[in-house]
PDB file of all heavy atoms in Angstrom:
ATOM      1  N   PHE A  37    -193.997  -4.634  77.561  1.00  0.00           N
ATOM      2  CA  PHE A  37    -194.226  -3.279  77.035  1.00  0.00           C
ATOM      3  C   PHE A  37    -195.743  -3.088  76.868  1.00  0.00           C
ATOM      4  O   PHE A  37    -196.493  -4.055  76.828  1.00  0.00           O
ATOM      5  CB  PHE A  37    -193.539  -3.153  75.676  1.00  0.00           C
ATOM      6  CG  PHE A  37    -192.033  -3.328  75.743  1.00  0.00           C
ATOM      7  CD1 PHE A  37    -191.474  -4.621  75.767  1.00  0.00           C
ATOM      8  CD2 PHE A  37    -191.198  -2.256  75.844  1.00  0.00           C
ATOM      9  CE1 PHE A  37    -190.082  -4.775  75.834  1.00  0.00           C
ATOM     10  CE2 PHE A  37    -189.827  -2.387  75.965  1.00  0.00           C
ATOM     11  CZ  PHE A  37    -189.301  -3.671  75.957  1.00  0.00           C
ATOM     12  N   ARG A  38    -196.142  -1.856  76.781  1.00  0.00           N
ATOM     13  CA  ARG A  38    -197.570  -1.543  76.639  1.00  0.00           C
ATOM     14  C   ARG A  38    -197.706  -0.332  75.690  1.00  0.00           C
ATOM     15  O   ARG A  38    -196.858   0.503  75.565  1.00  0.00           O
ATOM     16  CB  ARG A  38    -198.221  -1.312  77.932  1.00  0.00           C
ATOM     17  CG  ARG A  38    -197.762  -0.049  78.682  1.00  0.00           C
ATOM     18  CD  ARG A  38    -198.352   0.002  80.095  1.00  0.00           C
ATOM     19  NE  ARG A  38    -197.974   1.236  80.805  1.00  0.00           N
ATOM     20  CZ  ARG A  38    -198.273   1.440  82.081  1.00  0.00           C
ATOM     21  NH1 ARG A  38    -199.006   0.519  82.785  1.00  0.00           N
ATOM     22  NH2 ARG A  38    -197.889   2.538  82.652  1.00  0.00           N
ATOM     23  N   GLN A  39    -198.900  -0.329  75.056  1.00  0.00           N
ATOM     24  CA  GLN A  39    -199.198   0.747  74.154  1.00  0.00           C
ATOM     25  C   GLN A  39    -200.727   1.069  74.254  1.00  0.00           C
ATOM     26  O   GLN A  39    -201.517   0.194  73.990  1.00  0.00           O
ATOM     27  CB  GLN A  39    -198.796   0.453  72.699  1.00  0.00           C
ATOM     28  CG  GLN A  39    -198.931   1.668  71.793  1.00  0.00           C
ATOM     29  CD  GLN A  39    -198.204   1.482  70.483  1.00  0.00           C
ATOM     30  OE1 GLN A  39    -197.904   0.329  70.072  1.00  0.00           O
ATOM     31  NE2 GLN A  39    -197.933   2.558  69.810  1.00  0.00           N
ATOM     32  N   ALA A  40    -201.012   2.292  74.578  1.00  0.00           N
ATOM     33  CA  ALA A  40    -202.353   2.727  74.689  1.00  0.00           C
ATOM     34  C   ALA A  40    -202.684   3.464  73.381  1.00  0.00           C
ATOM     35  O   ALA A  40    -201.789   3.970  72.681  1.00  0.00           O
ATOM     36  CB  ALA A  40    -202.544   3.686  75.869  1.00  0.00           C
ATOM     37  N   PRO A  41    -203.978   3.514  73.032  1.00  0.00           N
ATOM     38  CA  PRO A  41    -204.378   4.190  71.772  1.00  0.00           C
ATOM     39  C   PRO A  41    -203.834   5.652  71.697  1.00  0.00           C
ATOM     40  O   PRO A  41    -203.992   6.445  72.672  1.00  0.00           O
ATOM     41  CB  PRO A  41    -205.910   4.176  71.865  1.00  0.00           C
ATOM     42  CG  PRO A  41    -206.211   2.977  72.670  1.00  0.00           C
ATOM     43  CD  PRO A  41    -205.149   2.948  73.707  1.00  0.00           C
ATOM     44  N   GLY A  42    -203.198   5.977  70.606  1.00  0.00           N
ATOM     45  CA  GLY A  42    -202.725   7.347  70.438  1.00  0.00           C
ATOM     46  C   GLY A  42    -201.449   7.691  71.156  1.00  0.00           C
ATOM     47  O   GLY A  42    -200.988   8.798  71.158  1.00  0.00           O
ATOM     48  N   LYS A  43    -200.894   6.665  71.863  1.00  0.00           N
ATOM     49  CA  LYS A  43    -199.663   6.930  72.627  1.00  0.00           C
ATOM     50  C   LYS A  43    -198.531   6.015  72.110  1.00  0.00           C
ATOM     51  O   LYS A  43    -198.802   5.018  71.486  1.00  0.00           O
ATOM     52  CB  LYS A  43    -199.902   6.642  74.123  1.00  0.00           C
ATOM     53  CG  LYS A  43    -200.882   7.611  74.762  1.00  0.00           C
ATOM     54  CD  LYS A  43    -200.905   7.391  76.268  1.00  0.00           C
ATOM     55  CE  LYS A  43    -201.810   8.410  76.933  1.00  0.00           C
ATOM     56  NZ  LYS A  43    -201.833   8.244  78.362  1.00  0.00           N
ATOM     57  N   GLU A  44    -197.308   6.453  72.427  1.00  0.00           N
ATOM     58  CA  GLU A  44    -196.184   5.602  72.045  1.00  0.00           C
ATOM     59  C   GLU A  44    -196.057   4.360  72.939  1.00  0.00           C
ATOM     60  O   GLU A  44    -196.519   4.381  74.063  1.00  0.00           O
ATOM     61  CB  GLU A  44    -194.890   6.496  72.156  1.00  0.00           C
ATOM     62  CG  GLU A  44    -194.835   7.630  71.178  1.00  0.00           C
ATOM     63  CD  GLU A  44    -193.438   8.274  71.129  1.00  0.00           C
ATOM     64  OE1 GLU A  44    -192.599   7.938  71.981  1.00  0.00           O
ATOM     65  OE2 GLU A  44    -193.218   9.119  70.268  1.00  0.00           O
ATOM     66  N   ARG A  45    -195.360   3.412  72.384  1.00  0.00           N
ATOM     67  CA  ARG A  45    -195.091   2.228  73.202  1.00  0.00           C
ATOM     68  C   ARG A  45    -194.244   2.557  74.397  1.00  0.00           C
ATOM     69  O   ARG A  45    -193.299   3.367  74.302  1.00  0.00           O
ATOM     70  CB  ARG A  45    -194.414   1.182  72.322  1.00  0.00           C
ATOM     71  CG  ARG A  45    -194.113  -0.128  73.033  1.00  0.00           C
ATOM     72  CD  ARG A  45    -193.481  -1.118  72.050  1.00  0.00           C
ATOM     73  NE  ARG A  45    -192.282  -0.569  71.508  1.00  0.00           N
ATOM     74  CZ  ARG A  45    -191.671  -1.081  70.381  1.00  0.00           C
ATOM     75  NH1 ARG A  45    -192.197  -2.140  69.772  1.00  0.00           N
ATOM     76  NH2 ARG A  45    -190.543  -0.531  69.951  1.00  0.00           N
ATOM     77  N   GLU A  46    -194.546   1.971  75.508  1.00  0.00           N
ATOM     78  CA  GLU A  46    -193.896   2.260  76.776  1.00  0.00           C
ATOM     79  C   GLU A  46    -193.310   0.939  77.374  1.00  0.00           C
ATOM     80  O   GLU A  46    -194.042  -0.027  77.466  1.00  0.00           O
ATOM     81  CB  GLU A  46    -194.848   2.889  77.759  1.00  0.00           C
ATOM     82  CG  GLU A  46    -194.349   3.151  79.126  1.00  0.00           C
ATOM     83  CD  GLU A  46    -195.425   3.648  80.081  1.00  0.00           C
ATOM     84  OE1 GLU A  46    -196.622   3.422  79.744  1.00  0.00           O
ATOM     85  OE2 GLU A  46    -195.076   4.189  81.137  1.00  0.00           O
ATOM     86  N   GLY A  47    -192.056   1.034  77.811  1.00  0.00           N
ATOM     87  CA  GLY A  47    -191.495  -0.123  78.516  1.00  0.00           C
ATOM     88  C   GLY A  47    -192.020  -0.206  79.927  1.00  0.00           C
ATOM     89  O   GLY A  47    -192.233   0.825  80.614  1.00  0.00           O
ATOM     90  N   VAL A  48    -192.386  -1.399  80.371  1.00  0.00           N
ATOM     91  CA  VAL A  48    -192.934  -1.636  81.664  1.00  0.00           C
ATOM     92  C   VAL A  48    -191.932  -2.318  82.614  1.00  0.00           C
ATOM     93  O   VAL A  48    -191.632  -1.825  83.683  1.00  0.00           O
ATOM     94  CB  VAL A  48    -194.215  -2.487  81.615  1.00  0.00           C
ATOM     95  CG1 VAL A  48    -194.787  -2.798  82.960  1.00  0.00           C
ATOM     96  CG2 VAL A  48    -195.273  -1.740  80.722  1.00  0.00           C
ATOM     97  N   SER A  49    -191.415  -3.466  82.175  1.00  0.00           N
ATOM     98  CA  SER A  49    -190.530  -4.235  83.060  1.00  0.00           C
ATOM     99  C   SER A  49    -189.781  -5.299  82.279  1.00  0.00           C
ATOM    100  O   SER A  49    -190.217  -5.730  81.213  1.00  0.00           O
ATOM    101  CB  SER A  49    -191.419  -4.945  84.131  1.00  0.00           C
ATOM    102  OG  SER A  49    -190.592  -5.682  85.040  1.00  0.00           O
ATOM    103  N   CYS A  50    -188.584  -5.642  82.724  1.00  0.00           N
ATOM    104  CA  CYS A  50    -187.759  -6.600  82.078  1.00  0.00           C
ATOM    105  C   CYS A  50    -187.157  -7.593  83.171  1.00  0.00           C
ATOM    106  O   CYS A  50    -186.965  -7.141  84.334  1.00  0.00           O
ATOM    107  CB  CYS A  50    -186.615  -6.048  81.291  1.00  0.00           C
ATOM    108  SG  CYS A  50    -187.109  -5.048  79.887  1.00  0.00           S
ATOM    109  N   ILE A  51    -186.833  -8.798  82.720  1.00  0.00           N
ATOM    110  CA  ILE A  51    -186.212  -9.762  83.615  1.00  0.00           C
ATOM    111  C   ILE A  51    -185.123 -10.503  82.833  1.00  0.00           C
ATOM    112  O   ILE A  51    -185.269 -10.788  81.647  1.00  0.00           O
ATOM    113  CB  ILE A  51    -187.186 -10.737  84.172  1.00  0.00           C
ATOM    114  CG1 ILE A  51    -186.565 -11.609  85.234  1.00  0.00           C
ATOM    115  CG2 ILE A  51    -187.850 -11.597  83.109  1.00  0.00           C
ATOM    116  CD1 ILE A  51    -187.604 -12.404  86.053  1.00  0.00           C
TER     117      ILE A  51
END
Side-chain angles (χ1 to χ4, degrees):
F37 299 83
R38 65 188 182 186
Q39 188 165 21
K43 294 188 176 181
E44 292 189 354
R45 182 177 57 195
E46 174 188 20
V48 177
S49 181
C50 295
I51 188 168

